[in-house]
Amino acid sequence: MSEKEQYDNEVIDLFREHSGVMLGSLIRRGVPHPVAEEIVNDVFTALRIHWDRLRGENHMAYAYRIAANECKKWWRQEGEPEQRRYYGDLDVPDDRDEYQEIIDRIYLGQALQGLSPRERQTVHLRFIRQKSVKEAADDMGVSEGAVKGYTRDALRKLRERADRQITKSGEEEQ
C-alpha cells in the first residue's frame, strides 16, 4: 500500500470515528444540520491535505479548531435571520462533469427507493424543501421525535448504501 493510500485510509478511519461527535457539536452550537455536515466534510478534507504534517501531532485538536472557526464564520454572516438559515444554493452549477451529475442523480434515485415512504417524505421535506423538524412534523402530521427518527434511519440507510457502492466500485478496498 502506498503512503498516499495509507494516509487516505487513516483519515477515513478518523472521519468514521469522529464525524458524528463533531456534527453533534456543531448542531448544538445552532448550525443547521446540512451546513454542519458540510463543515464536517470540509474539516476532514483539510485534515487530509495536511495529514503528512499532522499525523504525529494532536490532529483532532486541529480538526476541532477548524470546525469552530468555520462555525464562527457561518454565524458572522451579515443580514436577516432568514439568511442565517442558508443551506447552500441547490441550483448553482459547479465545475463537476455533466455526466457525473447524471450518474449521481441516478444513484440517489436508486438509494431513495430503498427507503420507506415516510423516510422518503422526511428526506424530501428536510433536505430538498429545507424545512425544520417542526415544520416537517406539522406537514407530515407526526411528532418532532418521529421526524428525527425517520431522518436518522433514512440517513443511516443512505450511508450504508453509499458505503456498499463505494466498496463495490473499487474506490475503497480494505
Side-chain angles (χ1 to χ4, degrees), residues 24-78:
S25 171
L26 293 172
I27 290 170
R28 284 189 297 279
R29 290 174 181 234
V31 177
H33 195 275
V35 176
E37 284 182 333
E38 195 173 311
I39 290 172
V40 169
N41 289 335
D42 290 347
V43 165
F44 282 93
T45 300
L47 198 64
R48 173 56 188 100
I49 290 169
H50 301 289
W51 189 245
D52 56 332
R53 179 176 54 87
L54 295 170
R55 191 170 183 216
E57 304 285 321
N58 188 356
H59 45 269
M60 288 315 297
Y62 177 80
Y64 277 98
R65 173 55 46 208
I66 294 172
N69 290 340
E70 290 299 314
C71 183
K72 287 176 190 174
K73 280 185 209 174
W74 187 81
W75 277 111
R76 266 192 239 129
Q77 288 177 345
E78 296 291 326

Side-chain angles (χ1 to χ4, degrees), residues 1-20 22 39-60 62-63 66 163 172-174:
M1 179 181 331
S2 74
E3 189 175 88
K4 179 190 177 311
E5 290 171 336
Q6 181 180 355
Y7 287 0
D8 288 346
N9 288 336
E10 289 172 0
V11 174
I12 288 169
D13 290 342
L14 278 175
F15 177 82
R16 288 181 177 148
E17 184 178 346
H18 295 281
S19 63
M22 186 177 288
I39 290 172
V40 169
N41 289 335
D42 290 347
V43 165
F44 282 93
T45 300
L47 198 64
R48 173 56 188 100
I49 290 169
H50 301 289
W51 189 245
D52 56 332
R53 179 176 54 87
L54 295 170
R55 191 170 183 216
E57 304 285 321
N58 188 356
H59 45 269
M60 288 315 297
Y62 177 80
I66 294 172
D163 286 345
E172 178 183 312
E173 295 179 350
Q174 302 203 7

Side-chain angles (χ1 to χ4, degrees), residues 151-165:
T151 303
R152 181 195 62 239
D153 293 344
L155 291 176
R156 179 185 47 77
K157 288 177 183 177
L158 291 172
R159 279 188 198 105
E160 287 172 357
R161 185 171 286 223
D163 286 345
R164 282 193 308 268
Q165 187 62 37

Side-chain angles (χ1 to χ4, degrees), residues 65-143:
R65 173 55 46 208
I66 294 172
N69 290 340
E70 290 299 314
C71 183
K72 287 176 190 174
K73 280 185 209 174
W74 187 81
W75 277 111
R76 266 192 239 129
Q77 288 177 345
E78 296 291 326
E80 307 275 326
E82 178 100 5
Q83 287 178 318
R84 289 197 173 147
R85 275 189 71 178
Y86 175 74
Y87 297 107
D89 296 322
L90 298 177
D91 298 327
V92 174
D94 58 10
D95 294 338
R96 297 179 69 193
D97 183 53
E98 184 177 341
Y99 294 110
Q100 186 60 44
E101 184 71 27
I102 292 168
I103 291 169
D104 290 348
R105 286 181 187 213
I106 291 169
Y107 281 135
L108 180 59
Q110 290 172 347
L112 290 173
Q113 292 306 314
L115 302 178
S116 72
R118 283 292 196 174
E119 290 167 342
R120 277 196 304 273
Q121 183 182 16
T122 304
V123 167
H124 177 76
L125 290 172
R126 297 276 289 123
F127 301 109
I128 305 300
R129 301 209 36 222
Q130 302 297 322
K131 292 195 174 206
S132 69
V133 172
K134 183 174 182 357
E135 293 167 335
D138 291 343
D139 286 0
M140 294 172 67
V142 298
S143 70

